[in-house]
């Protein structure tokens, strides 16, 4: 499902005299319409496709009207390309300032999956403006945020740009009561580890297995146990899903069977009914029951399918390896597991993910492993991944332990000496070399690996670690928890040093009498570069425990596979 | 105060007119006004004088002098007039001076005699010269109408959006019309002219003769006409001294008056007030001024000297060499209060207040009288209103005092009108001061609005006063103070006698961070004045980088622009600058500039990646980024169709990687070249697609196709690790079902399991393998047999999951648990046994002993632990019946 489908589906478009929908591709069109309207993201590649289409029409002597609607905004570079291709005069351009797509009651997505690669890999700042504008939009809808926290360079830039926009616009949000008390901005590169782990909460698993697109999933024939696939909208409207989405997968089956028993019981009630009751039952309850029944069977199907798929790969082993990596035990064995994983060509994405996880938890691979794993990988999956590895190195996901160990120390020293702005530049320069993750140190400082004696009760979890089977508390969520608890970054200096700093916290409504308690409990968490369903589940859990309400704004919903795919350099 | 009504002159029953002095003129003119071209702007605007214009002699010493005065006669500026012969002067609505030359050229000067621009009224005017000209104001703006020497009219309704219109010819017109005027009716501009006893109306297309209704036939020829300020009324003066007053539509007569003065008046203007029913014209002769209206009587004044009438919205200003007077109808509120023996509530209130001040009990009596009639609110409002019409602060004060006094006796009298009046009067008194010289009446002020007034103050460079007014009236910063400061700054940058630093500092001191100030606009002004350095300094203060960049580019400070664009975080801006730089600089410098700006560089790279791949290469070459160069070559190898091209590109990549000291990448690429060449041979030899496969897949495919020698060759050449080769070969052979080869393979090679597994289990594995070999054959036979039968009875032959799962143990089996599980395998069906054994092989090969950890949750119920089973995917495929547990 594409974002457009969520807003205006095909039938609505048809009602507005859209003749036919095409995907913009590098392919000539065969349409006979005399007007084309391109609704596109401002990408250079897309512009070239459009230019090709127009030029082809020109060659064929066809005249059509062309309109390009850029969403969320027009980029100068795009116009430049159109100009260079000589079609700028033939098109009219427009902007559709579409920034926010609410996927659920508490999830807002900007649907910009390219943000991750563009910013973190290519160093392209173009989307930051969009984030700032999205924040401005939220601000205008819900009043000013009274407290803002953030970590990461991008978070800082977005925040500052947004403040600038606010100042320029001179909107009269001043007197408004804040409805969202806190805002927390976080860069994805603050915590790659969490995003790289296999997800085991139901929603995350569904995403990992079937790919949730725009809050909807395509359940194939193996799930629906019929010969066609079904599109299902996954959100809190779905009564079954909303109860299991945040659960650990091991509890899901129990719940589903309980649910099916309940359903059966409700169906069974009709046995003892007289005519009138029956009429009531049919007119009022049956429809809901049927609906629930349908959903239930779908989710059971999905569970089965997940299990089938996961057991085909040695999922258990993999999870075990992941947990060892997170805890820092038996690194050698994990390394050889990964090696074998590669050798057996289990899955290119999974192998890459494990390598990255190893690198990032161990602060880089030792040179011998680095070389051998890469060689193995190239032999298994083809030499073009040489470029993939280069990308991963640049972004700091797969690095080599080297004398560069001292780099962060130098960097932080330098940044202390010079001003912020210059430090930014220096960090940029260093970025290309390597980023140190210091995961082990952070994990120790924040206690990310829960020490539990005996079994971790996944049904009645005690902390956010349940989203990873009790083995690991997601770093990103832990940071948010800590900061909200302290209401500042105070006391987290050591962690911040390890995280490369760039934190900020701003109190906006200074001096005002304490704003409404209600709004103080609402926290807008902004993930720049995407967030996973596991993180969402963890924060929802935290919210339930501490009485917060989290609202998620993310550039896109991500998971380990999407992140890896973004790094892969494809032939073409 | 007693003789307050002394200067009131009654006209008819109801109306009074008064004339009072606004200023004693400061200008000490030597010339008579009649020798000058005079133009005074409405709304208390400035006065322009062109001296010596009448004399035609050419002596250079007697060059005409253009002077501009404030309404109080203070000289604002003067210049000697060097251009052509002037016919007419006029002011635009924005207080610019229009100088209309004989040849039809109109020059525009500002208040300070600084030339702004000029335009021409067209060729026809140029040829025939300007006979007369008039400047008029309509809703379209300021217009100019011209009567040419050929007795034709040309006009434009808006000089800022020049569209010349030539009016139709008046048939049979031989001499210039005796008088004419421009009318504006229903947004159409028309010309009314009089020739002798005839009136003609010229509109866009036609000329028509008109007769005013009720015009006495013996009236005679028209000498003068006057149009009121709002274009609603028209007055005509004939040579019998008869004055006709009516609507300018010529559909209704309002009144008439016979002055019995036959000489043509110098000027005739309307004197009216908005919303007043009284209508009167003021007619001026050399020494006589007459106010004539709807009455048989008229008011006459004697003029001591040459005077000039300026029609205003609510009266007439009378200029002379020594004084500046205002003539207007007394507004109703003032009449009520001040008229002798008036019993109006306002008058009583004023009286009451006076008595109160005298501490007389009469105050109470008066007050009671008003209160009895319940007219106190009216009394207060009347006093407030009347205060506005007074020019003398003393009178204003006493009226306001009375209002304030009356207010005390009313519950909940809304204070706004009182407060606003006080504020307005304070502003008006300030600007009426002779040093400012804007004699605005309250009515005019309300019509003009405070914003326009502020603009006019700014135009006169009275910045401090304007700011004071803004502060006093508490106008929003953006509307008021900051706008004025910006104007001030724009003026400041034009002062060339001060150094850049001084000016920039002064401006920043004053402006600070006032919201709504655009430093970039000020900087742009500075740049227009040729002060680039100052502009750059000013731009430093501009908080919005987006505003800095375009100007910096214009000033050719591209590098600075680039860093500002990057600071702004607006990528569009960065692109704008980068692409601008690309055209401006040569390639080398361009790249060097980018090198210092990583953000811009990465943006440009993005652009190049899609649009100009060649540039990308140059870019990497330039800064010796061999790593990226290598990547570039690898990337471009993909698009090469031919193998040679691809190899060539890859070879380039190898070189680059070596230069980048990235030996790993270089080696990998070399391997890739080797592989490509090999694949081509394979493709030729076997006529099967091998290109673009990974090494693993290549070898695997070779084995699948039975080319074991070749596979072996690749294994050695590429130093494929034994482990991988073992996996690869077993699984490929199994897929192929080549059990012969499998056996051969196992004999020829020392199993890598032996190297990997721990001692005892390694041995066991070896044993297991041998046994497996023995048992595999029957399996094979069995399978073929089954195939022959057409693949049926699947489920029964597969090992039942319930049996297998417990055998493998619920916990992840370590080496120890395998020991325990192993003997039980003997009881199983032989096929199942084989399968289990294969699993065991795999178990040894894999690092089983993994730390469990307390946090290890893994899969619990309902997922049975069966993943170890699947471990041996390859082995499992050996057993055809062995299906995974569902």
């Amino acid at each position: 499902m594409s974002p457009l489908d969520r807003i205006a589906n095909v039938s609505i478009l048809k009602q507005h005299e859209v003749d036919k929908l095409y995907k913009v591709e590098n392919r000539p069109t065969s349409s006979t319409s005399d007007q084309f309207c391109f609704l596109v993201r401002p990408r250079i590649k897309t512009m070239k496709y459009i230019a090709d289409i127009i030029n082809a029409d020109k060659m064929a002597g066809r005249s059509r009207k062309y309109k390009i609607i850029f969403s969320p905004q027009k980029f100068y570079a795009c116009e430049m390309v159109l100009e260079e291709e000589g079609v700028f005069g033939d098109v009219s351009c427009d902007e559709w300032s579409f920034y926010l797509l609410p996927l659920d009651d508490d999830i807002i997505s900007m649907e910009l999956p390219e943000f991750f690669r563009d910013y973190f890999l290519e160093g392209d700042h173009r989307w930051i403006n969009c984030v700032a504008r999205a924040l401005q939009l939220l601000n205008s809808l819900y009043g000013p945020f009274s407290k803002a926290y953030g970590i990461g360079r991008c978070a800082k830039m977005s925040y500052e740009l947004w403040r600038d926009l606010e100042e320029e616009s001179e909107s009269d949000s001043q007197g408004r009561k804040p409805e969202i008390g806190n805002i927390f901005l976080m860069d994805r590169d603050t915590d790659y580890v969490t995003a790289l782990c296999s997800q085991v909460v139901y929603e995350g698993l569904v995403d990992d297995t079937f790919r949730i697109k725009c809050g909807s999933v395509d359940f194939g024939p193996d799930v629906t146990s019929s010969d066609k696939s079904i599109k299902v909208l996954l959100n809190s409207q779905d009564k079954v899903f909303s109860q299991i989405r945040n659960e650990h997968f091991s509890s899901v089956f129990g719940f589903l069977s309980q649910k099916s028993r309940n359903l059966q019981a409700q169906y069974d009630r009709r046995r003892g009914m007289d005519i009138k009751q029956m009429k009531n039952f049919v007119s009022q309850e049956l429809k809901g029951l049927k609906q629930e029944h349908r959903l239930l069977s779908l989710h059971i199907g999905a569970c089965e399918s997940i299990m089938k798929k996961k057991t085909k790969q040695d999922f258990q082993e993999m999870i075990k390896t992941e947990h060892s990596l997170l805890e820092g035990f038996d690194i050698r064995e994990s390394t050889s597991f990964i090696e074998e994983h590669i050798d057996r060509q289990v899955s290119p994405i999974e192998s890459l993910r494990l390598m990255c996880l190893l690198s990032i938890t161990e602060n880089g691979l030792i040179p011998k492993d680095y070389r051998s794993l890469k060689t193995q990988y190239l032999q298994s999956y083809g030499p073009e991944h040489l470029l993939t590895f280069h990308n991963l190195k640049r972004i700091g996901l797969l690095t080599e332990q080297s004398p560069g160990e001292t780099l962060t120390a130098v960097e932080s020293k330098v940044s202390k000496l010079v001003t912020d702005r210059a430090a930014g530049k220096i960090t940029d320069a260093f970025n290309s070399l390597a980023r140190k993750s210091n995961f082990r140190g952070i994990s120790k400082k924040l206690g990310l690996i829960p020490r539990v004696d005996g079994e971790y009760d996944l049904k009645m979890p005690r902390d956010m670690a349940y989203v990873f089977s009790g083995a690991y508390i997601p770093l990103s969520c832990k940071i948010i928890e800590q900061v909200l608890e302290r209401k500042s970054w105070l006391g987290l200096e050591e962690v911040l040093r390890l995280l490369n700093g760039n934190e900020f916290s701003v109190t906006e409504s200074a001096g005002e009498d304490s704003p409404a308690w209600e709004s103080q409990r609402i926290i807008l968490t902004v993930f720049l570069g995407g967030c996973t369903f596991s993180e969402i589940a963890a924060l929802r859990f935290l919210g339930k425990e501490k009485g917060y309400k989290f609202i998620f704004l993310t550039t896109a919903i991500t998971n380990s596979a999407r992140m890896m795919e973004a790094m892969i350099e494809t032939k073409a | 105060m007693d003789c307050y009504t002394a200067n009131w002159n009654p006209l008819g029953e109801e109306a009074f007119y008064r004339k009072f002095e606004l200023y004693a003129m400061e200008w000490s003119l030597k010339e008579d006004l009649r020798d000058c071209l005079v133009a005074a702007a409405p709304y208390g605007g400035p006065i322009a004088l062109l001296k010596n214009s009448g004399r035609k002699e050419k002596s250079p010493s007697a060059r005409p002098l253009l002077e501009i005065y404030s309404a109080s006669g203070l000289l604002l500026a003067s210049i000697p007039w060097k251009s052509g012969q002037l016919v007419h002067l006029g002011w635009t609505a924005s207080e610019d001076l229009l100088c209309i030359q004989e040849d039809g050229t109109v020059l525009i000067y500002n208040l300070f005699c600084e030339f702004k621009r000029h335009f021409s009224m067209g060729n026809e005017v140029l040829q025939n010269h300007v006979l007369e000209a008039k400047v008029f104001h309509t809703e379209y703006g300021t217009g100019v109408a011209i009567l040419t020497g050929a007795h034709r009219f040309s006009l434009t309704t808006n000089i800022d959006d020049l569209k010349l219109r030539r009016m139709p010819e008046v048939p049979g017109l031989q001499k210039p019309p005796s008088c004419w005027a421009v009318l504006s009716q229903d947004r159409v501009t028309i010309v009314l002219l009089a020739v002798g006893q005839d009136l003609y109306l010229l509109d866009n297309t036609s000329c028509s003769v008109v007769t005013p209704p009720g015009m006495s036939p013996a009236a005679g020829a028209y000498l003068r006409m006057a149009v009121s300020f709002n274009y609603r009324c028209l007055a005509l003066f004939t040579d019998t001294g008869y004055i006709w007053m009516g609507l300018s539509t010529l559909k209704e007569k309002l009144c008439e008056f016979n002055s019995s003065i036959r000489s043509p008046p110098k000027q005739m203007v309307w004197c009216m007030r908005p919303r007043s029913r009284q209508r009167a014209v003021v007619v001026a002769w050399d020494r006589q001024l007459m106010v004539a209206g709807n009455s048989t009587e008229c008011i006459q004044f004697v003029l001591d000297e040459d005077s000039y009438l300026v029609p205003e919205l609510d009266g007439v200003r009378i200029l002379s060499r020594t004084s500046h007077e205002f003539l207007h109808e007394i507004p109703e509120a003032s009449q009520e209060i001040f008229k002798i023996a008036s019993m109006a509530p306002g008058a009583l209130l004023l009286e009451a207040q006076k008595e109160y001040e005298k501490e007389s009990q009469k105050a109470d009596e008066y007050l009671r009288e008003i209160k009895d009639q319940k007219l106190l609110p009216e009394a207060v409002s009347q006093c407030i209103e009347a205060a506005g019409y007074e020019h003398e602060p003393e009178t204003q004060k006493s009226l306001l005092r009375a209002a304030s006094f009356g207010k005390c006796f009313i519950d909940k009298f809304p204070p706004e009108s009182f407060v606003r009046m006080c504020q307005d009067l304070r502003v008006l008194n300030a600007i009426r001061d002779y040093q400012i010289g804007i004699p605005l009446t309250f009515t005019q002020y309300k019509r003009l609005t405070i914003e326009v007034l502020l603009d006019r103050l700014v135009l006169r460079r009275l910045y401090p006063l304007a700011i004071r007014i803004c502060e006093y009236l508490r106008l929003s910063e953006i509307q008021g103070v900051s706008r004025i400061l910006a104007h001030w700054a724009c003026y400041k940058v034009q002062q060339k006698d001060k150094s850049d630093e001084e000016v920039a500092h002064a401006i920043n001191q004053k402006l600070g961070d006032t919201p709504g100030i655009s430093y970039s606009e000020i900087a742009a002004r500075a740049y227009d004045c040729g002060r680039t350095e100052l502009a750059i300094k000013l731009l430093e203060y501009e908080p919005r980088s987006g505003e800095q960049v375009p100007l910096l580019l214009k000033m050719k400070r591209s590098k600075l622009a680039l860093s500002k664009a990057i600071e702004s975080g607006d990528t569009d801006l960065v692109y704008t600058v980068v692409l601008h730089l690309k055209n401006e600089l040569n390639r080398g410098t361009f790249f060097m500039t980018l090198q210092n700006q990583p953000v811009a560089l990465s943006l440009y790279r993005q652009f190049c990646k899609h649009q100009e791949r060649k540039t990308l290469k140059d870019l990497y070459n330039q800064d010796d980024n061999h790593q990226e160069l290598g990547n570039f070559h690898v990337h471009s190898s993909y698009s090469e169709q031919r193998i040679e091209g691809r190899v060539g590109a890859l070879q380039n990549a190898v070189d680059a990687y070596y230069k980048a000291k990235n030996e790993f990448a270089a080696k990998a690429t070399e391997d890739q070249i080797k592989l490509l060449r090999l694949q081509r041979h394979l493709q030729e030899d076997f006529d099967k697609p091998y290109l673009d496969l990974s090494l693993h897949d290549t070898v695997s495919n070779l084995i699948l196709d039975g080319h074991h020698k070749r596979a072996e060759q690749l294994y050695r050449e590429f130093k494929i690790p034994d482990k991988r080769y073992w996996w690869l070969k077993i699984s490929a052979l199994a897929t192929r079902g080549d059990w012969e080869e499998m056996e051969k393979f196992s004999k020829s090679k020392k199993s890598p399991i032996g190297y990997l597994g721990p001692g005892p289990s390694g041995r066991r594995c070896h044993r297991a393998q041998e046994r497996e070999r023995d048992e595999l054959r029957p399996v094979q036979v069995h399978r073929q047999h089954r195939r022959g039968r057409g693949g049926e009875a699947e489920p029964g032959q597969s090992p039942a999951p319930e049996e297998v799962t417990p055998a493998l143990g619920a916990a992840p089996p370590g080496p120890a648990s395998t020991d325990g599980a192993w003997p039980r395998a003997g009881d199983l069906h032989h096929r199942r046994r084989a399968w289990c054994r294969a699993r065991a092989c795999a178990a040894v090969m894999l690092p089983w002993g993994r730390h469990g950890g307390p946090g290890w949750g893994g899969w619990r119920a309902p997922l049975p632990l069966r993943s170890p089973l699947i471990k041996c995917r390859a082995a499992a495929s050996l057993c055809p019946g062995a299906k995974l547990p569902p």
Side-chain angles (χ1 to χ4, degrees), chain B residues 27 60 76 111 165 266 312 404 543 546 552 575 658 815:
Chain B
W27 56 10
L76 293 176
L111 216 55
R165 267 167 51 197
K266 256 181 63 192
E312 287 280 5
S404 148
L552 284 172
Y575 267 127
Y658 272 124

Side-chain angles (χ1 to χ4, degrees), chain B residues 596-658:
Chain B
N596 301 325
Q597 299 286 5
V599 177
L601 183 62
S602 54
L603 277 175
Y604 186 59
R605 256 190 221 143
Q606 288 278 80
F607 181 74
C608 289
K609 250 180 209 167
H610 298 285
Q611 194 65 2
E612 302 174 17
R613 291 199 59 88
K614 270 194 78 155
T615 318
L616 197 61
K617 194 171 114 192
D618 297 345
L619 204 57
Y620 294 140
N621 255 327
Q622 170 87 12
D623 59 322
D624 296 331
N625 192 342
H626 296 295
Q627 174 66 38
E628 285 292 352
L629 207 55
N631 291 349
F632 171 81
H633 285 305
V634 171
H635 216 284
S636 54
S637 79
Y638 298 152
S639 49
E640 291 283 347
Q641 292 300 319
R642 292 170 313 120
I643 293 284
E644 291 76 31
R646 220 190 276 191
V647 168
L650 287 176
Q651 194 56 52
N652 285 341
V654 171
D655 295 346
Y657 283 139
Y658 272 124

Side-chain angles (χ1 to χ4, degrees), chain B residues 828-849:
Chain B
L828 300 166
H829 182 266
H830 74 280
R831 236 184 300 122
R832 200 181 305 155
R833 230 185 300 157
W835 183 60
C836 285
R837 248 169 263 144
R839 181 201 65 75
C841 297
V844 185
M845 270 172 56
L846 297 167
W848 271 131

